[in-house]
Amino acid sequence: MGLLRWWWGIIVVSIVIVTVGILLSRENPSSALDVMLEHTAFAVGNTLQEPEFKDTMGDLANKTKELEDLVANLSKKTTRRERRDPGLYRIPPPPPPTSTPTTTITTTPNTAKSTGKAKGKGKGKGKKIQYLFYRPRCCSGINNQLEEFWYAFQLAINMGRGLVLPMIAEHVTWTRVEMKDLTPFDEFFDSSVVRQLVPTMTTKEWKQMCNSTFELDIFPKNKNKIVQKGYEKYLNITWQGVQKLVVSSWDDLKDKDLPDCLGVQWPLQLLKGVFNIQRAKTDPPIGGLVEKNPTFEKLRRHTVAAPFIMSYVAPITAKLGKYLAVHVRVGDFKKWCKDSPDPRRCPTDKNMADKVRKTAQQHGITEVFVACDVDFKANVLKWMKEYNPNLNFHTFDSPDEPFKSHVDVTGVAEQQICIDAPVFIGNCWSTWSRTVHEGRYTTGKSCDTTLIWNSETPWCMKK
């Protein structure tokens, strides 16, 4: 501190002298400069002769010598350690540069005829990718649309094309058959996982590339009429008057020079022989596509909830801990269940409440997550609690967007909570429950933990 104080003193004195010199220089520049130099030398000389300044400088020199000796000693020790294990003490050199092949995806607007066939999956520099546009089952619920997506997914792979990700028609039920609410695929599912198997583009990008117009419309021979014109209508896509091609299966397309902008109707019918889609001949019909078809199982593994849904759900399932998840199918099921005496397909409120209590007791569970249509949720919780007062019931009711405004985004979140549950009970005649079952199967959940209402038989078939 003493050294610092003396140096500040020198600086202050010098500033004063310079100021005085400037003022004097206006009258006698030469004499002013002499006076300024003389006073500066005098101030610096006096400071250097002060005993305190000399002592401070001496201490600084001693400390500097001690620091140099310490650094030299550490250097010797480090060298000895490096000889024993050089990897622990040396920063490894940077790896040699490597040449990484790049993949370029190019799309061509619909201003000219297609220049060639689709080849491979677009791997390789500058290779052009053609894309497959298909009509989803938009007059059905989101899980029916999802099944159609998987068929188109496989058809794109077989044809060597990329896949145009569909718009999802939200909140479509047996009593609300319309598609006014079309929402991009990415709001529900993770397209980056889909792209691990096939290139993708959004519907908006396809409309821009193809000027919202088909060059060719492909139909299966056994279903060669458009029955879902509303999808094109709401997306403002031109399909009237477009050239039509009717084929028996995708094999008929192998040697054809197909244009960039083509549409496909009923992709499952074009996958003749690819999937075994027959239900298991058991009672109830346990098992299905995911157990009997390794190809479909691969598609299912590559269809997961959007990342923001996953991150939103994770703390909820962590808080629930060991819980039972149930799907209560109501609404349209209640309507057509009037003519069905099967209690497994159409269980009563008491049937489901009894199954919940029994399953919870078997697994030592007290927390129950309930998923059902938002319009019936309050009533379902009411009778569930009345029959099972010793259990704690939970639902997913988020005030945050996009959950608040999108019923089916909420549904995907509920499905993920059911997929992650230690135990799940669902309805094997429901596509909503079936989607959960497939998610549980492909993420390694035991078949013994995926159950059906009013049945002692687990849902899935073990591998």
Side-chain angles (χ1 to χ4, degrees):
M1 291 298 295
L3 177 62
L4 185 61
R5 186 169 62 251
W6 283 109
W7 277 113
W8 275 113
I10 293 174
I11 293 171
V12 171
V13 170
S14 300
I15 293 173
V16 172
I17 293 171
V18 170
T19 303
V20 172
I22 292 172
L23 293 174
L24 293 174
S25 64
R26 295 178 181 178
E27 297 179 3
N28 190 347
S30 177
S31 62
L33 181 61
D34 292 340
V35 170
M36 183 171 61
L37 292 176
E38 179 181 348
H39 281 78
T40 301
F42 176 80
V44 172
N46 285 346
T47 300
L48 296 176
Q49 295 302 317
E50 288 289 337
E52 187 176 355
F53 181 86
K54 291 181 178 180
D55 294 341
T56 302
M57 293 300 294
D59 292 341
L60 181 62
N62 293 335
K63 295 294 183 182
T64 302
K65 183 64 170 62
E66 291 176 6
L67 183 60
E68 289 174 350
D69 294 340
L70 178 61
V71 171
N73 190 33
L74 286 174
S75 178
K76 291 178 182 179
K77 290 181 179 180
T78 301
T79 302
R80 289 195 297 270
R81 288 172 181 171
E82 286 178 329
R83 292 193 189 104
R84 292 197 299 269
D85 191 353
L88 291 176
Y89 297 95
R90 291 180 185 155
I91 299 174
T98 57
S99 58
T100 304
T102 59
T103 300
T104 304
I105 297 177
T106 59
T107 56
T108 305
N110 187 24
T111 55
K113 282 188 80 174
S114 170
T115 55
K117 305 173 188 176
K119 297 180 181 179
K121 297 179 184 176
K123 294 181 180 178
K125 187 175 181 180
K127 187 159 289 185
K128 181 180 178 181
I129 298 175
Q130 292 178 302
Y131 288 85
L132 176 71
F133 180 100
Y134 77 99
R135 279 95 159 178
R137 291 173 60 186
C138 279
C139 285
S140 300
I142 182 175
N143 294 285
N144 298 92
Q145 297 173 56
L146 192 56
E147 289 185 347
E148 203 76 9
F149 164 76
W150 289 321
Y151 305 143
F153 194 168
Q154 185 61 49
L155 182 61
I157 293 173
N158 286 11
M159 293 178 65
R161 283 185 170 250
L163 180 64
V164 179
L165 297 175
M167 301 290 283
I168 302 293
E170 288 198 77
H171 206 197
V172 178
T173 67
W174 291 90
T175 57
R176 187 181 179 272
V177 186
E178 56 186 30
M179 57 179 76
K180 293 181 180 178
D181 301 324
L182 292 175
T183 306
F185 182 88
D186 283 330
E187 284 291 320
F188 306 88
F189 306 104
D190 190 344
S191 59
S192 68
V193 179
V194 176
R195 283 194 291 275
Q196 293 176 10
L197 294 185
V198 67
T200 67
M201 71 162 44
T202 65
T203 297
K204 182 178 179 181
E205 290 170 335
W206 182 89
K207 282 169 60 65
Q208 291 172 344
M209 182 185 80
C210 294
N211 196 26
S212 297
T213 304
F214 295 132
E215 293 179 87
L216 179 68
D217 227 348
I218 299 176
F219 293 79
K221 187 174 289 186
N222 58 340
K223 286 192 177 184
N224 58 12
K225 293 183 179 179
I226 296 178
V227 296
Q228 301 172 86
K229 300 176 184 177
Y231 189 64
E232 289 90 337
K233 173 185 174 183
Y234 283 106
L235 290 174
N236 196 26
I237 292 175
T238 302
W239 56 271
Q240 299 95 327
V242 172
Q243 181 184 356
K244 186 175 178 180
L245 177 63
V246 179
V247 297
S248 297
S249 75
W250 72 276
D251 287 321
D252 298 339
L253 304 171
K254 286 182 178 178
D255 298 322
K256 293 188 178 296
D257 188 6
L258 300 174
D260 291 334
C261 302
L262 58 80
V264 171
Q265 177 87 9
W266 301 110
L268 175 60
Q269 305 304 319
L270 296 172
L271 291 171
K272 196 173 180 180
V274 176
F275 294 130
N276 176 7
I277 60 173
Q278 298 299 317
R279 283 180 177 265
K281 295 181 180 180
T282 58
D283 187 21
I286 62 170
L289 275 171
V290 72
E291 292 99 326
K292 295 185 293 183
N293 297 276
T295 301
F296 180 80
E297 183 182 351
K298 187 176 183 181
L299 299 176
R300 189 61 187 83
R301 289 183 187 278
H302 286 78
T303 312
V304 298
F308 75 90
I309 295 177
M310 287 291 203
S311 60
Y312 199 95
V313 162
I316 296 174
T317 56
K319 186 176 181 180
L320 286 171
K322 186 178 181 181
Y323 65 100
L324 165 66
V326 300
H327 174 222
V328 179
R329 182 66 187 266
V330 285
D332 51 3
F333 249 45
K334 289 286 186 182
K335 183 178 179 180
W336 64 262
C337 272
K338 290 179 180 178
D339 301 323
S340 174
D342 191 337
R344 294 163 301 185
R345 180 182 295 197
C346 301
T348 65
D349 296 349
K350 188 176 186 306
N351 290 154
M352 289 185 280
D354 290 345
K355 178 77 172 180
V356 166
R357 182 171 57 258
K358 182 179 178 181
T359 305
Q361 289 173 348
Q362 288 176 341
H363 294 271
I365 289 173
T366 59
E367 309 302 317
V368 181
F369 176 79
V370 179
C372 70
D373 191 296
V374 64
D375 296 331
F376 303 91
K377 190 176 292 185
N379 184 55
V380 169
L381 285 176
K382 180 181 177 182
W383 57 255
M384 273 284 187
K385 292 176 181 178
E386 288 176 352
Y387 284 116
N388 295 298
N390 296 325
L391 297 176
N392 302 315
F393 292 91
H394 309 268
T395 58
F396 182 85
D397 302 287
S398 174
D400 301 325
E401 295 293 354
F403 305 105
K404 183 179 178 180
S405 301
H406 296 269
V407 173
D408 284 328
V409 177
T410 292
V412 174
E414 290 178 318
Q415 285 177 320
Q416 191 59 47
I417 294 173
C418 292
I419 290 170
D420 293 338
V423 186
F424 170 71
I425 307 173
N427 191 315
C428 61
W429 282 270
S430 161
T431 54
W432 199 103
S433 285
R434 196 183 307 155
T435 298
V436 173
H437 152 59
E438 291 165 348
R440 291 175 65 81
Y441 185 85
T442 54
T443 53
K445 294 291 190 301
S446 169
C447 282
D448 297 332
T449 64
T450 303
L451 310 175
I452 304 170
W453 296 117
N454 283 332
S455 175
E456 298 301 319
T457 305
W459 188 326
C460 63
M461 298 180 291
K462 294 182 180 179
K463 293 185 179 181

